[in-house]
mmCIF file of all heavy atoms in Angstrom:
data_model
loop_
_atom_site.group_PDB
_atom_site.id
_atom_site.type_symbol
_atom_site.label_atom_id
_atom_site.label_comp_id
_atom_site.label_asym_id
_atom_site.label_seq_id
_atom_site.Cartn_x
_atom_site.Cartn_y
_atom_site.Cartn_z
ATOM 1 N N PRO A 245 15.139 40.748 5.632
ATOM 2 C CA PRO A 245 15.384 41.669 6.743
ATOM 3 C C PRO A 245 15.073 41.005 8.081
ATOM 4 O O PRO A 245 14.268 40.070 8.145
ATOM 5 C CB PRO A 245 14.422 42.828 6.462
ATOM 6 C CG PRO A 245 13.323 42.209 5.654
ATOM 7 C CD PRO A 245 13.961 41.141 4.825
ATOM 8 N N GLU A 246 15.690 41.476 9.151
ATOM 9 C CA GLU A 246 15.471 40.889 10.468
ATOM 10 C C GLU A 246 14.263 41.538 11.135
ATOM 11 O O GLU A 246 14.386 42.283 12.108
ATOM 12 C CB GLU A 246 16.710 41.028 11.355
ATOM 13 C CG GLU A 246 16.618 40.182 12.618
ATOM 14 C CD GLU A 246 17.930 40.085 13.372
ATOM 15 O OE1 GLU A 246 18.963 39.841 12.722
ATOM 16 O OE2 GLU A 246 17.904 40.248 14.602
ATOM 17 N N ILE A 247 13.086 41.218 10.605
ATOM 18 C CA ILE A 247 11.841 41.714 11.182
ATOM 19 C C ILE A 247 11.348 40.716 12.213
ATOM 20 O O ILE A 247 11.750 39.550 12.197
ATOM 21 C CB ILE A 247 10.779 41.958 10.080
ATOM 22 C CG1 ILE A 247 10.514 40.677 9.290
ATOM 23 C CG2 ILE A 247 11.223 43.076 9.136
ATOM 24 C CD1 ILE A 247 9.452 40.823 8.200
ATOM 25 N N PRO A 248 10.477 41.139 13.152
ATOM 26 C CA PRO A 248 10.021 40.221 14.203
ATOM 27 C C PRO A 248 9.301 38.995 13.629
ATOM 28 O O PRO A 248 8.599 39.081 12.618
ATOM 29 C CB PRO A 248 9.063 41.078 15.032
ATOM 30 C CG PRO A 248 9.442 42.487 14.742
ATOM 31 C CD PRO A 248 9.933 42.497 13.325
ATOM 32 N N ILE A 249 9.491 37.849 14.311
ATOM 33 C CA ILE A 249 8.806 36.605 13.956
ATOM 34 C C ILE A 249 7.992 36.172 15.158
ATOM 35 O O ILE A 249 8.500 36.092 16.281
ATOM 36 C CB ILE A 249 9.798 35.493 13.574
ATOM 37 C CG1 ILE A 249 10.663 35.917 12.386
ATOM 38 C CG2 ILE A 249 9.057 34.191 13.262
ATOM 39 C CD1 ILE A 249 11.786 34.938 12.061
ATOM 40 N N TYR A 250 6.703 35.887 14.942
ATOM 41 C CA TYR A 250 5.805 35.445 16.004
ATOM 42 C C TYR A 250 5.321 34.032 15.708
ATOM 43 O O TYR A 250 4.901 33.736 14.574
ATOM 44 C CB TYR A 250 4.595 36.379 16.117
ATOM 45 C CG TYR A 250 4.945 37.803 16.501
ATOM 46 C CD1 TYR A 250 5.262 38.746 15.519
ATOM 47 C CD2 TYR A 250 4.957 38.206 17.829
ATOM 48 C CE1 TYR A 250 5.597 40.053 15.857
ATOM 49 C CE2 TYR A 250 5.279 39.509 18.186
ATOM 50 C CZ TYR A 250 5.597 40.424 17.200
ATOM 51 O OH TYR A 250 5.918 41.720 17.541
ATOM 52 N N VAL A 251 5.371 33.166 16.701
ATOM 53 C CA VAL A 251 4.777 31.837 16.600
ATOM 54 C C VAL A 251 3.491 31.868 17.412
ATOM 55 O O VAL A 251 3.525 31.934 18.640
ATOM 56 C CB VAL A 251 5.722 30.738 17.115
ATOM 57 C CG1 VAL A 251 5.018 29.380 17.085
ATOM 58 C CG2 VAL A 251 6.995 30.697 16.285
ATOM 59 N N ASN A 252 2.353 31.851 16.711
ATOM 60 C CA ASN A 252 1.062 31.970 17.382
ATOM 61 C C ASN A 252 0.278 30.678 17.237
ATOM 62 O O ASN A 252 -0.633 30.548 16.428
ATOM 63 C CB ASN A 252 0.268 33.152 16.820
ATOM 64 C CG ASN A 252 -0.972 33.441 17.651
ATOM 65 O OD1 ASN A 252 -1.142 32.884 18.727
ATOM 66 N ND2 ASN A 252 -1.837 34.303 17.151
ATOM 67 N N SER A 253 0.665 29.682 18.026
ATOM 68 C CA SER A 253 0.000 28.382 18.056
ATOM 69 C C SER A 253 0.412 27.695 19.344
ATOM 70 O O SER A 253 1.603 27.401 19.525
ATOM 71 C CB SER A 253 0.390 27.521 16.852
ATOM 72 O OG SER A 253 0.074 26.165 17.077
ATOM 73 N N PRO A 254 -0.509 27.452 20.262
ATOM 74 C CA PRO A 254 -0.134 26.801 21.525
ATOM 75 C C PRO A 254 0.577 25.466 21.316
ATOM 76 O O PRO A 254 1.548 25.158 22.013
ATOM 77 C CB PRO A 254 -1.477 26.618 22.233
ATOM 78 C CG PRO A 254 -2.352 27.684 21.672
ATOM 79 C CD PRO A 254 -1.929 27.825 20.246
ATOM 80 N N MET A 255 0.110 24.669 20.366
ATOM 81 C CA MET A 255 0.753 23.376 20.127
ATOM 82 C C MET A 255 2.154 23.559 19.556
ATOM 83 O O MET A 255 3.099 22.847 19.943
ATOM 84 C CB MET A 255 -0.090 22.521 19.181
ATOM 85 C CG MET A 255 0.442 21.108 19.001
ATOM 86 S SD MET A 255 -0.526 20.099 17.849
ATOM 87 C CE MET A 255 -2.037 19.908 18.816
ATOM 88 N N ALA A 256 2.333 24.519 18.654
ATOM 89 C CA ALA A 256 3.655 24.767 18.076
ATOM 90 C C ALA A 256 4.627 25.258 19.143
ATOM 91 O O ALA A 256 5.795 24.848 19.170
ATOM 92 C CB ALA A 256 3.551 25.785 16.942
ATOM 93 N N VAL A 257 4.156 26.131 20.036
ATOM 94 C CA VAL A 257 5.005 26.619 21.123
ATOM 95 C C VAL A 257 5.432 25.460 22.020
ATOM 96 O O VAL A 257 6.600 25.346 22.416
ATOM 97 C CB VAL A 257 4.273 27.713 21.933
ATOM 98 C CG1 VAL A 257 5.058 28.057 23.198
ATOM 99 C CG2 VAL A 257 4.065 28.962 21.080
ATOM 100 N N ALA A 258 4.493 24.569 22.347
ATOM 101 C CA ALA A 258 4.809 23.407 23.174
ATOM 102 C C ALA A 258 5.801 22.484 22.467
ATOM 103 O O ALA A 258 6.725 21.941 23.088
ATOM 104 C CB ALA A 258 3.531 22.653 23.524
ATOM 105 N N ALA A 259 5.626 22.298 21.160
ATOM 106 C CA ALA A 259 6.545 21.445 20.398
ATOM 107 C C ALA A 259 7.944 22.043 20.370
ATOM 108 O O ALA A 259 8.945 21.314 20.465
ATOM 109 C CB ALA A 259 6.017 21.256 18.978
ATOM 110 N N LEU A 260 8.041 23.358 20.248
ATOM 111 C CA LEU A 260 9.347 24.004 20.258
ATOM 112 C C LEU A 260 10.064 23.786 21.586
ATOM 113 O O LEU A 260 11.289 23.622 21.628
ATOM 114 C CB LEU A 260 9.193 25.501 19.973
ATOM 115 C CG LEU A 260 9.055 25.884 18.495
ATOM 116 C CD1 LEU A 260 8.591 27.326 18.352
ATOM 117 C CD2 LEU A 260 10.380 25.679 17.768
ATOM 118 N N GLU A 261 9.317 23.784 22.670
ATOM 119 C CA GLU A 261 9.924 23.515 23.974
ATOM 120 C C GLU A 261 10.501 22.109 24.019
ATOM 121 O O GLU A 261 11.552 21.872 24.607
ATOM 122 C CB GLU A 261 8.888 23.709 25.083
ATOM 123 C CG GLU A 261 8.443 25.150 25.274
ATOM 124 C CD GLU A 261 9.601 26.069 25.630
ATOM 125 O OE1 GLU A 261 10.495 25.631 26.401
ATOM 126 O OE2 GLU A 261 9.622 27.215 25.140
ATOM 127 N N VAL A 262 9.816 21.166 23.407
ATOM 128 C CA VAL A 262 10.337 19.791 23.344
ATOM 129 C C VAL A 262 11.636 19.760 22.556
ATOM 130 O O VAL A 262 12.622 19.115 22.960
ATOM 131 C CB VAL A 262 9.295 18.841 22.710
ATOM 132 C CG1 VAL A 262 9.892 17.454 22.487
ATOM 133 C CG2 VAL A 262 8.050 18.759 23.585
ATOM 134 N N TYR A 263 11.686 20.456 21.429
ATOM 135 C CA TYR A 263 12.910 20.497 20.622
ATOM 136 C C TYR A 263 14.057 21.126 21.407
ATOM 137 O O TYR A 263 15.209 20.685 21.310
ATOM 138 C CB TYR A 263 12.671 21.277 19.330
ATOM 139 C CG TYR A 263 12.078 20.451 18.216
ATOM 140 C CD1 TYR A 263 10.708 20.431 17.981
ATOM 141 C CD2 TYR A 263 12.890 19.684 17.383
ATOM 142 C CE1 TYR A 263 10.161 19.675 16.957
ATOM 143 C CE2 TYR A 263 12.355 18.928 16.350
ATOM 144 C CZ TYR A 263 10.985 18.923 16.139
ATOM 145 O OH TYR A 263 10.450 18.168 15.137
ATOM 146 N N LYS A 264 13.759 22.182 22.186
ATOM 147 C CA LYS A 264 14.812 22.822 22.975
ATOM 148 C C LYS A 264 15.427 21.848 23.977
ATOM 149 O O LYS A 264 16.625 21.905 24.259
ATOM 150 C CB LYS A 264 14.229 24.026 23.722
ATOM 151 C CG LYS A 264 13.910 25.230 22.854
ATOM 152 C CD LYS A 264 13.315 26.346 23.702
ATOM 153 C CE LYS A 264 12.901 27.536 22.866
ATOM 154 N NZ LYS A 264 12.282 28.612 23.689
ATOM 155 N N ARG A 265 14.604 20.947 24.521
ATOM 156 C CA ARG A 265 15.084 19.995 25.516
ATOM 157 C C ARG A 265 15.702 18.745 24.882
ATOM 158 O O ARG A 265 16.254 17.897 25.580
ATOM 159 C CB ARG A 265 13.942 19.566 26.445
ATOM 160 C CG ARG A 265 13.342 20.713 27.257
ATOM 161 C CD ARG A 265 12.441 20.167 28.367
ATOM 162 N NE ARG A 265 11.360 19.338 27.864
ATOM 163 C CZ ARG A 265 10.134 19.792 27.557
ATOM 164 N NH1 ARG A 265 9.874 21.098 27.679
ATOM 165 N NH2 ARG A 265 9.196 18.977 27.122
ATOM 166 N N ALA A 266 15.557 18.620 23.573
ATOM 167 C CA ALA A 266 15.960 17.377 22.909
ATOM 168 C C ALA A 266 17.461 17.145 22.974
ATOM 169 O O ALA A 266 17.917 16.003 23.052
ATOM 170 C CB ALA A 266 15.488 17.378 21.457
ATOM 171 N N GLY A 267 18.254 18.211 22.912
ATOM 172 C CA GLY A 267 19.711 18.090 23.017
ATOM 173 C C GLY A 267 20.292 17.139 21.997
ATOM 174 O O GLY A 267 20.131 17.313 20.788
ATOM 175 N N LEU A 268 20.943 16.088 22.478
ATOM 176 C CA LEU A 268 21.659 15.163 21.603
ATOM 177 C C LEU A 268 20.733 14.261 20.807
ATOM 178 O O LEU A 268 21.191 13.499 19.956
ATOM 179 C CB LEU A 268 22.620 14.299 22.427
ATOM 180 C CG LEU A 268 23.736 15.071 23.154
ATOM 181 C CD1 LEU A 268 24.568 14.117 23.988
ATOM 182 C CD2 LEU A 268 24.601 15.838 22.157
ATOM 183 N N GLU A 269 19.440 14.314 21.067
ATOM 184 C CA GLU A 269 18.509 13.480 20.308
ATOM 185 C C GLU A 269 18.269 14.015 18.901
ATOM 186 O O GLU A 269 17.749 13.306 18.039
ATOM 187 C CB GLU A 269 17.176 13.370 21.053
ATOM 188 C CG GLU A 269 17.288 12.638 22.380
ATOM 189 C CD GLU A 269 15.941 12.482 23.055
ATOM 190 O OE1 GLU A 269 14.967 12.162 22.353
ATOM 191 O OE2 GLU A 269 15.860 12.695 24.282
#
Side-chain angles (χ1 to χ4, degrees):
E246 192 169 314
I247 58 179
I249 301 173
Y250 297 88
V251 176
N252 189 10
S253 163
M255 186 181 291
V257 171
L260 278 167
E261 292 300 322
V262 173
Y263 275 96
K264 287 179 184 178
R265 298 193 302 268
L268 297 177
E269 295 183 42

